[in-house]
Amino acid sequence: MTALPPGQFELAEFPRFGLDPFADKFPNEIAHIRLQIAGDVATPCELGDELAELPRVEQTSDFHCVTTWSRRALRWSGYRFRDLYEQLIVPRAQPEPAARFVVLRGQDGYRSALPLEDLLADDVLLADRLDGAPLPLEHGAPVRLVAPAHYGYKNPKHLSAIELWRDERNYHPPGRRFMDHPRARVAHEERGRGLPGWLLRYLYRPFIRSTIRRFQRALDAHRARQ
Ligand SMILES: Nc1nc2c(c(=O)[nH]1)N[C@H]1C(S)=C(S)[C@@H](COP(=O)(O)O)O[C@H]1N2
Ligand SMILES: [Mo]
């Protein structure tokens, strides 16, 4: 087994996790994938069933949250972002060639952004299955981004929109600015901006347990309402 990246430790469970304001936000639609393709594109459009035309990819990868917890060997199944981009987004939406700043939005209002180059990597998936079963609500149903080289916060769940922009003008990170590194590569410990990664380890770690409890309580309450 490969070593964990700098500053990470392995958690015994795979929790529902995120930024506090999203604990009690849930998607409306978990049965069908609907992705709005927008931004600096000639033809904004919606993609859904078309994804099934793409080759299905199985991938085992580790998952690293910026707060320092990790899960190893998660078995994802889905579609490569690169295949989606080349086979569906480019021909249908016709993005401007300079539109290489990508904003990804979730049904719960969550969002993150990455350079297109990072999303075109081999191991970036839109996953709709996890460990042999449909992706559960807590991990991002109906579809989430899986970008294992980037911290969890660049892996939006309940994906609902992909926007290609020429610049960052239309993007406002969901948390504080220092928490949003433009690339957030795990191997380089790019946890945030302006502050060194090793320092953020100590700022984030004390909040892991309370965040897990908060997200679990909200999930239990949501299930009780269904
Ligand atoms: N839609 C959405 N995606 C999200 C989040 C969120 O709150 N909402 N949290 C992010 C963070 S910070 C992490 S660590 C991972 C957690 O994924 P998990 O809940 O499957 O463990 O989701 C990321 N993607
Ligand atoms: Mo995270």
Side-chain angles (χ1 to χ4, degrees):
M1 214 191 293
T2 50
L4 281 172
Q8 297 298 115
F9 76 97
E10 196 173 351
L11 207 59
E13 77 275 22
F14 187 24
R16 174 172 184 258
F17 204 86
L19 277 176
D20 268 5
F22 297 94
D24 33 41
K25 305 240 167 33
F26 292 89
N28 300 316
E29 171 63 85
I30 57 169
H32 299 283
I33 299 176
R34 282 162 159 271
L35 297 175
Q36 305 300 325
I37 312 299
D40 293 316
V41 302
T43 320
C45 60
E46 184 183 295
L47 296 173
D49 297 340
E50 296 89 344
L51 267 72
E53 299 163 17
L54 303 173
R56 181 161 285 277
V57 175
E58 318 286 331
Q59 171 172 300
T60 301
S61 47
D62 298 349
F63 186 91
H64 310 290
C65 172
V66 72
T67 63
T68 74
W69 64 264
S70 292
R71 280 296 290 171
R72 307 186 100 158
L74 295 170
R75 290 185 300 120
W76 303 104
S77 172
Y79 310 101
R80 265 203 186 95
F81 184 93
R82 188 174 60 230
D83 291 336
L84 170 81
Y85 181 75
E86 290 174 352
Q87 296 180 39
L88 294 173
I89 295 181
V90 169
R92 293 180 192 220
Q94 297 169 279
E96 291 180 17
R100 303 186 79 82
F101 178 81
V102 185
V103 176
L104 303 145
R105 296 185 191 276
Q107 290 181 51
D108 56 352
Y110 188 84
R111 60 235 175 239
S112 70
L114 277 171
L116 179 61
E117 284 65 25
D118 285 344
L119 290 166
L120 296 178
D122 253 5
D123 59 356
V124 177
L125 305 189
L126 283 90
D128 60 355
R129 300 182 63 79
L130 171 62
D131 292 333
L135 189 63
L137 173 68
E138 60 268 38
H139 294 304
V143 71
R144 84 176 299 165
L145 191 85
V146 171
H150 306 265
Y151 286 113
Y153 70 93
K154 298 289 188 181
N155 293 235
K157 301 185 279 189
H158 324 299
L159 207 57
S160 60
I162 299 174
E163 301 169 358
L164 297 120
W165 297 104
R166 281 184 300 253
D167 54 50
E168 305 189 17
R169 211 172 328 162
N170 296 296
Y171 177 62
H172 304 283
R176 293 178 185 278
R177 214 180 121 76
F178 81 85
M179 301 165 84
D180 185 59
H181 189 282
R183 299 186 72 189
R185 288 171 300 176
V186 178
H188 298 267
E189 209 173 347
E190 293 167 340
R191 292 185 197 272
R193 61 176 109 201
L195 292 170
W198 62 262
L199 179 63
L200 287 171
R201 293 179 197 173
Y202 300 102
L203 290 182
Y204 286 149
R205 255 178 215 153
F207 298 100
I208 295 174
R209 281 294 154 195
S210 56
T211 302
I212 291 176
R213 281 196 300 272
R214 187 187 308 251
F215 272 71
Q216 182 62 50
R217 267 202 309 274
L219 180 64
D220 294 343
H222 177 72
R223 290 213 164 113
R225 281 193 299 271
Q226 295 292 293

